[in-house]
Amino acid sequence: FSAGFYENDPEKMRVLIERYIELCGELKQTKNQVSALRTLGVLAGDRGRADESLSYFQQALDCARAQGDREAEKECSVRIGIAAGQAGMAEHLSGILQRSVLP
């Protein structure tokens, strides 16, 4: 799935991709759903939304497994690990900042 025209407007791109996923489901084009869900995961991660990113990557992983697409499954698993690490790091840094603030 290509960013194309909306690459500088992540919110418009997210809406467009979500609609694309709906259409893929209606047309039984599930292979395309994996790619679109991965793109949504990347967009969410880029905006600092780790939990949302994890959710999209998990959905993509579930679709890849259902299709028996081992390559996509591996990629999604790696992306889930990266997103989980980013989420953990954000929480860790937040905790450090909270503890470092003087009363």
Side-chain angles (χ1 to χ4, degrees):
F1 196 85
S2 174
F5 188 70
Y6 294 111
E7 69 183 31
N8 293 323
D9 191 339
E11 185 57 28
K12 284 183 182 177
M13 192 154 101
R14 182 191 60 78
V15 171
L16 176 69
I17 295 170
E18 286 178 349
R19 179 64 183 133
Y20 177 76
I21 291 169
E22 289 174 20
L23 290 172
C24 286
E26 291 171 13
L27 298 172
K28 309 291 189 236
Q29 298 292 319
T30 56
K31 180 130 180 114
N32 296 332
Q33 285 178 315
V34 173
S35 176
L37 286 163
R38 280 193 316 238
T39 301
L40 287 174
V42 170
L43 285 173
D46 288 349
R47 291 179 295 161
R49 299 179 177 176
D51 290 339
E52 189 178 321
S53 179
L54 279 168
S55 175
Y56 284 126
F57 289 136
Q58 185 61 55
Q59 290 175 62
L61 176 63
D62 294 342
C63 283
R65 282 186 178 150
Q67 297 168 16
D69 186 341
R70 299 287 294 157
E71 286 303 311
E73 192 176 332
K74 288 178 197 175
E75 182 181 341
C76 291
S77 294
V78 169
R79 289 186 179 269
I80 286 171
I82 291 168
Q86 288 173 335
M89 182 57 75
E91 290 174 21
H92 176 68
L93 292 175
S94 177
I96 290 172
L97 287 173
Q98 288 176 358
R99 288 189 301 274
S100 68
V101 174
L102 298 175

